[in-house]
Amino acid sequence: MRVNFTVNGRPQEADDVWEGESLLYVLRERMGLPGSKNACEQGECGSCTVRLDGVPVCSCLVAAGQVEGREVVTVEGLADFAKERAEHGGCASGACGTSLDEAKKWQARPGQDSQTGEAGTDPAALSPIQQAFIDAGAVQCGFCTPGLLIAADELLERQSDPSDQDIREALSGNLCRCTGYEKILDAVRLAAARQGEAV
Amino acid sequence: MAQNTRTVPAGTPTNVTQNHTKGGIGESTLRPDGTLKVTGEFAYSSDMWHEDMLWGQTLRSTVAHAEIVSIDISEAVAMSGVYAVLTYDDLPAEVKNYGLEIQDTPVLAHGKVRHHGEPVALIAADHPETARRAAAKIRIEYKELPVVTDEASALAPDAPLIHEGRDDHHSGHVPHPNIVHRQPIIRGNVAAARERADVIVEGEYVFGMQDQAFLGPESGLAVPAEDGGVDLYVATQWLHSDLKQIAPVLGLPEEKVRMTLSGVGGAFGGREDISMQIHACLLALRTGKPVKIVYNRFESFFGHVHRHPAKLHYEHGATKDGKLTHLKARIVLDGGAYASASPAVVGNASSLGAGPYVVDDVEIEAVALYTNNPPCGAMRGFGAVQACFAYEAQMDKLAAKLGMDPVEFRQINAMEQGTLMPTGQVVDSPAPVAELLRRVKARPLPPERQWETAGEGADVRALPGGLSNTTHGEGVVRGVGYAVGIKNVGFSEGFDDYSTARVVLQVINGEAVAMVHTAMAEVGQGGVTVHAQIARTELGVTQVTIHPADTQVGSAGSTSASRQTYMTGGAVKNTCEAVREKVLEIGRRKNGSYHPAWATAELLLEGGKVVTDGGEVLANLADILEGEEPIDLELEFRHRATVPFDLVTGQGDGHVQYTFAAHRAVVEVDTELGLVKVIELATAQDVGKALNMLSVVGQIQGGTTQGLGVAVMEEIIVDPKTAKVRNPSFTDYLIPTILDTPTIPVDVLELADPNAPYGLRGLGEAPTLSSTPAVLAAIRNATGLELNKTPVRPEALTGTL
């Protein structure tokens, strides 16, 4: 079957999709967007979390056909999504997404210069929660990171100053095996604090 | 089924580890791969993609012990979209087994299967679902055999032999062919020492089978090459060890198997053994197409070895003033169907079996069994974890019997620099065991009854059971427990443990730039960060590029045994020092006549310049290197030599370095439902020298959490009658979530080891040792129950077992 949907603001068309394929498979193997991770593929670990019409879901549990005509935001589009939100006010429903015009400007960032090691990526291009994860040391192997970022970003969208219990509750569907979670808590606190300063 | 319609390939390993952050050793430099990891661009092994690639699938045995009567692949082969189906008969070389130390593991089962989930056949197809359906069409007829599942069934007079006709280097000295390896440690005179004891305590402890449960599944991509060889992109802990096992079964010389590390989603020991590497290469070579294999979580539980479950019997004595008199211990580790790392785990469990305590009279025996249970091997803490669980419970029992404070009792017996290990080896660097305990004890306790809120009753989120709303605080009791552990660093017992680093220094666009090339597996621990920090420190440059890890450079050894910063970090340091000498040679040649300091002073490289130890600038590094060939050196680094333990007495300087961590656990237990909430897990650890404190603390917290997991929830459950695994999923094998994990305050000591690079101490494993017994001690303290088994399940706390 053919599935038409929007990914990170860009209209996408996937052809010859088998009826049993998950959104996760289509994103990773057909769209070339491997940022959503395949750690358990049964909705237990949260590594594949994406926003579907603004709602965080495990993309491994969503049949590809279910996303027909809908909007998906993955970790690859998180920075643009957060930027759009910052520029056009908060999005309490979580369903705002990135506008089509804005998203059409999206392109893969150039790779880093392998000679000098300098990043081709402008750090300012990261969303606040992405930057906070780096700064707080919340990334080790990083496999859980994309899913945690989507979940944490959604938490901060609806709750600008979450308590530790709020953070724990919001991220309880995302397993991390490396960090012991302390630095993930630090990262969310840091992003919230920076968000607060910016207001 | 549909072909891939994708046109954009995923990232290749070449863009995984570029370095764009700054900072030398001692600074909390940020990860160079952090940006790629938070944007989803970092290429993990399961993200590898190649145009026209096929998907590989493994068919695994549904029974634990059986003769294979027949395999019928005809239906599978005939399916549309299936490119190859391989069984044992298709293996191309004389060598058909592999293994880390003993080559007893079949690439594909031949003749019989020895454990549930053993690989029997391989399929390559155009879509993963085609491959799965084809696997389901393969008909295998098994004739089941009796299963060996524990010590009694393994050593019974008529026990089936798991490996008949063994002729490995351990088979000659083990008392039974179903024992992989046995190591006694005998020192002093236990019988005489027992006479001096005022109290004697005994205990039988059971440590459950833990899984590494790294999040990134076993996966990789094998690409056949025109020269008849194969390029393999894979997540592993040791490229060169894989290579040595892969090439012979493919029938290829090692230079025709080119391996590149792809992004690794955690390891914790679970990637020391081969999983899908050989299978993907076989399918690629057979079909002539790139083949990607990605395990799902279910298969991942069968695809790697686990932590050895153990039964430990301990007897300790002490005098009434609190001095240990003797220790007698027997440690039985279940190694499962294949040897993997069992011999080395036995060496660790026995030699570290007395813990970080002074005890002169010791008899320890550790054995690992062959059974039909899942194979067990390396996992963080490696044999020391199981022993620590037992000896720490014993310390609490002794303290209680003597009416002493458990921390004070431990401090009385704590080893220090100069103490003799039960192996006779002198602990010749700082061993701050008493101080680590003092630090966790001195920390203020978290407030009691934190769940109580002003006026609103209980915040159930802070209680055992959390939002399940199972209690509002009635029936909740608190306990505090302590533990401390000792772990060795690096490969022991005479192993030729070395690491290689290549460093290139050259001028690019007018600036001196270093490139560090090693085969070190970055599994999340942050080696890529510290290697660049070391190069910046030693060479005085700002720009450092980390070359992707591959087999085009010498071996870096394994990313395990807490050894990688010590070993490959040491190799990078030494190679940089040699590069510096070359720089100074060129400098002397070019500029030596202009300033006498070139010949007379101690010269350093700092801030892109050559400076004297007095701080005088002699030249720009870039000017010296300009017009020269790049300086390109590759050197090996070895730690000091060790020797094998004597097979009868266990004596010998078997270990390189020791590392220590202590924990204090504070728990709350709902005694009605048997639910445990760990409130805090305070940690203190000596790291010798923290090259990157941010990473150090992250490692300690992560290791602590894995120990917490095994204390209260983690266990692979194997049916004792059939040896089948009951819970191979994240639904049924539980690892701690952020709700299960407490705050983990970390106190880091830096007492330099004079024998180690920068004085550092390997640190990754030690925090996993003591957090489990600390949590157990706290639960015992809260409930008054004996609790000798991990994990503590609700029925053990409610008397409904």
Side-chain angles (χ1 to χ4, degrees):
Chain A
M1 66 180 169
R2 172 178 293 179
V3 184
N4 293 286
F5 62 116
T6 305
V7 184
N8 299 328
R10 290 191 301 177
Q12 294 281 8
E13 184 179 285
D15 266 329
D16 299 324
V17 174
W18 168 63
E19 288 77 357
E21 271 175 30
S22 65
L23 171 60
L24 177 64
Y25 183 87
V26 169
L27 290 171
R28 289 176 53 79
E29 305 297 340
R30 295 186 183 278
M31 302 281 156
L33 293 170
S36 307
K37 292 300 167 208
N38 53 321
C40 79
E41 298 182 62
Q42 56 174 195
E44 294 289 347
C45 74
S47 303
C48 65
T49 305
V50 301
R51 304 279 294 265
L52 178 58
D53 288 346
V55 179
V57 297
C58 288
S59 60
C60 69
L61 295 183
V62 177
Q66 286 178 281
V67 299
E68 176 67 33
R70 299 172 73 178
E71 279 198 34
V72 173
V73 176
T74 72
V75 71
E76 287 95 340
L78 182 61
D80 284 343
F81 182 77
K83 186 162 161 250
E84 179 76 7
R85 180 174 57 213
E87 283 170 4
H88 297 98
C91 179
S93 73
C96 53
T98 307
S99 77
L100 193 55
D101 284 345
E102 188 69 21
K104 279 177 179 162
K105 296 176 204 157
W106 187 91
Q107 56 181 0
R109 281 187 289 272
Q112 290 162 319
D113 185 324
S114 63
Q115 289 301 306
T116 65
E118 278 297 275
T121 306
D122 172 10
L126 299 177
S127 72
I129 191 69
Q130 287 171 317
Q131 190 62 51
F133 263 61
I134 295 175
D135 294 344
V139 179
Q140 289 186 19
C141 92
F143 208 81
C144 66
T145 303
L148 276 161
L149 288 169
I150 297 283
D153 181 71
E154 194 271 343
L155 166 69
L156 294 175
E157 180 180 290
R158 59 185 158 78
Q159 206 171 348
S160 60
D161 185 22
S163 69
D164 284 2
Q165 291 290 2
D166 295 333
I167 300 170
R168 288 182 190 276
E169 197 180 321
L171 302 185
S172 63
N174 293 78
L175 297 176
C176 168
R177 191 54 158 168
C178 295
T179 64
Y181 301 106
E182 279 281 82
K183 296 201 174 295
I184 291 168
L185 278 161
D186 288 346
V188 180
R189 293 180 196 125
L190 179 64
R194 285 175 176 169
Q195 197 168 270
E197 280 167 19
V199 171
Chain B
M1 206 150 290
Q3 289 287 317
N4 255 301
T5 54
R6 187 168 104 179
T7 53
V8 187
T12 60
T14 52
N15 72 356
V16 297
T17 48
Q18 308 306 337
N19 219 326
H20 62 276
T21 49
K22 310 284 185 269
I25 64 158
E27 294 180 56
S28 282
T29 299
L30 300 177
R31 295 188 68 93
D33 52 11
T35 303
L36 292 170
K37 284 179 172 176
V38 299
T39 54
E41 293 163 282
F42 183 85
Y44 293 90
S45 55
S46 57
D47 301 335
M48 294 290 123
W49 188 89
H50 199 291
E51 206 173 342
D52 205 24
M53 73 180 188
L54 302 174
W55 290 78
Q57 173 75 34
T58 324
L59 177 69
R60 293 171 180 274
S61 75
T62 53
V63 294
H65 198 199
E67 281 174 30
I68 299 173
V69 178
S70 64
I71 305 178
D72 178 2
I73 61 169
S74 55
E75 269 190 80
V77 172
M79 278 176 66
S80 167
V82 170
Y83 283 70
V85 180
L86 306 182
T87 66
Y88 167 72
D89 292 335
D90 299 299
L91 294 179
E94 281 294 304
V95 181
K96 298 178 194 302
N97 287 358
Y98 65 88
L100 287 174
E101 186 184 325
I102 300 172
Q103 284 70 49
D104 64 358
T105 312
V107 172
L108 291 168
H110 36 109
K112 63 162 134 172
V113 294
R114 295 182 178 85
H115 69 92
H116 181 203
E118 180 162 351
V120 180
L122 304 170
I123 300 97
D126 61 1
H127 188 286
E129 183 61 21
T130 314
R132 275 193 287 272
R133 289 179 184 184
K137 297 276 188 196
I138 297 174
R139 306 271 167 247
I140 304 177
E141 192 186 335
Y142 293 110
K143 182 184 167 201
E144 290 205 48
L145 299 167
V147 291
V148 167
T149 58
D150 57 12
E151 188 179 13
S153 56
L155 304 186
D158 56 347
L161 299 186
I162 307 297
H163 296 274
E164 285 173 53
R166 272 181 72 185
D167 63 349
D168 57 80
H169 54 285
H170 295 297
S171 54
H173 72 80
V174 289
H176 189 288
N178 281 343
I179 292 177
V180 186
H181 177 48
R182 171 180 179 269
Q183 180 64 62
I185 308 277
I186 295 166
R187 185 167 188 82
N189 184 338
V190 165
R194 186 190 271 124
E195 296 299 314
R196 297 200 309 274
D198 295 309
V199 294
I200 289 177
V201 299
E202 274 189 90
E204 179 92 25
Y205 304 93
V206 179
F207 198 99
M209 186 187 291
Q210 190 182 14
D211 189 72
Q212 297 84 355
F214 43 74
L215 284 197
E218 289 88 343
S219 46
L221 176 71
V223 185
E226 282 181 4
D227 66 353
V230 62
D231 292 280
L232 179 63
Y233 302 87
V234 72
T236 178
Q237 287 176 243
W238 187 357
L239 288 164
H240 286 80
S241 164
D242 284 6
L243 178 62
K244 281 204 161 17
Q245 297 172 77
I246 294 169
V249 286
L250 297 180
L252 291 172
E254 285 185 10
E255 60 271 19
K256 283 201 171 178
V257 180
R258 292 160 293 261
M259 296 184 62
T260 304
L261 186 76
S262 52
V264 184
F268 317 115
R271 298 188 206 267
E272 274 207 356
D273 293 65
I274 297 281
S275 58
M276 47 58 66
Q277 287 90 327
I278 299 170
H279 296 160
C281 292
L282 287 169
L283 289 170
L285 290 167
R286 172 62 78 96
T287 61
K289 283 169 169 281
V291 174
K292 170 169 164 171
I293 294 184
V294 182
Y295 288 177
N296 61 23
R297 184 54 51 179
F298 180 85
E299 187 168 16
S300 178
F301 274 98
F302 293 105
H304 59 256
V305 299
H306 314 291
R307 187 191 298 290
H308 288 73
K311 286 207 169 117
L312 310 99
H313 186 270
Y314 266 70
E315 176 194 306
H316 277 97
T319 57
K320 55 181 178 295
D321 59 350
K323 287 267 188 197
L324 288 171
T325 55
H326 70 281
L327 159 65
K328 206 170 153 61
R330 182 152 194 278
I331 301 169
V332 179
L333 301 148
D334 184 347
Y338 297 107
S340 181
S342 282
V345 170
V346 165
N348 269 16
S350 55
S351 61
L352 303 170
Y357 301 109
V358 179
V359 50
D360 296 330
D361 299 282
V362 175
E363 282 176 24
I364 302 172
E365 178 194 27
V367 298
L369 304 172
Y370 274 127
T371 67
N372 294 116
N373 291 326
C376 290
M379 185 178 171
R380 198 176 199 164
F382 202 86
V385 160
Q386 294 91 333
C388 186
F389 175 64
Y391 62 68
E392 285 303 87
Q394 290 282 105
M395 293 303 114
D396 285 339
K397 275 190 187 175
L398 282 167
K401 205 156 182 179
L402 290 165
M404 297 182 76
D405 176 85
V407 169
E408 192 191 333
F409 177 78
R410 286 173 170 84
Q411 287 171 326
I412 289 172
N413 294 289
M415 69 164 50
E416 50 196 23
Q417 188 162 353
T419 296
L420 278 190
M421 294 290 290
T423 56
Q425 185 166 14
V426 179
V427 177
D428 62 357
S429 66
V433 178
E435 173 63 10
L436 292 170
L437 284 161
R438 188 193 68 75
R439 288 186 178 222
V440 290
K441 192 181 180 189
R443 186 177 284 278
L445 282 163
E448 303 245 4
R449 304 176 75 82
Q450 288 185 92
W451 67 82
E452 284 178 341
T453 61
E456 293 172 50
D459 179 351
V460 294
R461 297 181 302 180
L463 279 160
L467 281 174
S468 308
N469 201 21
T470 52
T471 179
H472 287 223
E474 59 286 341
V476 171
V477 291
R478 174 184 271 212
V480 180
Y482 296 87
V484 60
I486 177 171
K487 176 71 186 52
N488 62 319
V489 171
F491 282 21
S492 299
E493 300 184 60
F495 190 89
D496 180 22
D497 197 8
Y498 70 94
S499 183
T500 315
R502 174 177 165 236
V503 176
V504 181
L505 185 68
Q506 61 189 314
V507 171
I508 296 173
N509 297 330
E511 188 181 3
V513 174
M515 190 272 285
V516 176
H517 185 188
T518 75
M520 175 205 66
E522 167 61 45
V523 303
Q525 84 279 16
V528 290
T529 323
V530 297
H531 288 179
Q533 290 178 261
I534 291 169
R536 285 193 205 98
T537 298
E538 298 300 331
L539 297 174
V541 297
T542 306
Q543 299 297 343
V544 179
T545 302
I546 304 294
H547 190 286
D550 57 31
T551 49
Q552 307 302 306
V553 66
S555 174
S558 183
T559 302
S560 63
S562 305
R563 67 181 280 289
Q564 208 48 292
T565 301
Y566 190 127
M567 294 300 297
T568 306
V572 173
K573 176 175 187 279
N574 280 9
T575 309
C576 284
E577 285 168 356
V579 167
R580 187 167 64 212
E581 285 310 309
K582 292 269 180 206
V583 169
L584 296 178
E585 267 175 42
I586 298 169
R588 273 191 282 273
R589 168 161 55 78
K590 281 185 170 176
N591 302 325
S593 57
Y594 301 125
H595 197 301
W598 279 103
T600 56
E602 182 82 9
L603 300 180
L604 310 167
L605 301 185
E606 278 178 12
K609 299 179 191 325
V610 179
V611 297
T612 67
D613 52 357
E616 190 178 357
V617 175
L618 295 187
N620 278 324
L621 190 49
D623 293 338
I624 291 174
L625 298 170
E626 193 66 59
E628 301 286 328
E629 290 289 305
I631 300 172
D632 187 340
L633 295 179
E634 180 177 324
L635 297 176
E636 286 175 2
F637 171 76
R638 280 176 167 74
H639 58 61
R640 54 185 172 163
T642 60
V643 300
F645 298 123
D646 183 274
L647 283 173
V648 176
T649 65
Q651 299 300 294
D653 290 355
H655 294 311
V656 181
Q657 184 192 53
Y658 300 103
T659 180
F660 308 91
H663 282 92
R664 181 190 68 194
V666 181
V667 306
E668 285 175 350
V669 182
D670 172 9
T671 52
E672 292 172 348
L673 286 175
L675 301 176
V676 175
K677 177 144 184 127
V678 182
I679 303 295
E680 189 196 73
L681 249 172
T683 310
Q685 184 167 339
D686 175 22
V687 303
K689 163 77 181 170
L691 299 198
N692 183 319
M693 192 60 87
L694 191 68
S695 296
V696 164
V697 172
Q699 282 290 306
I700 294 173
Q701 290 170 333
T704 296
T705 304
Q706 291 188 347
L708 156 73
V710 80
V712 295
M713 62 181 75
E714 291 188 37
E715 185 183 17
I716 290 184
I717 299 167
V718 182
D719 186 308
K721 290 201 178 69
T722 62
K724 288 192 189 181
V725 179
R726 283 176 170 166
N727 58 341
S729 74
F730 276 170
T731 310
D732 298 311
Y733 182 91
L734 304 178
I735 68 172
T737 71
I738 196 168
L739 282 174
D740 303 308
T741 306
T743 54
I744 306 170
V746 175
D747 195 345
V748 175
L749 270 73
E750 295 182 78
L751 303 180
D753 178 343
N755 299 301
Y758 301 115
L760 68 82
R761 235 174 244 289
L763 73 98
E765 296 171 288
T768 313
L769 269 63
S770 44
S771 78
T772 308
V775 170
L776 263 287
I779 301 173
R780 290 186 197 110
N781 179 247
T783 62
L785 296 166
E786 186 152 333
L787 304 176
N788 287 341
K789 182 180 181 310
T790 71
V792 176
R793 299 195 179 281
E795 54 268 34
L797 297 173
T798 54
T800 51
L801 199 58

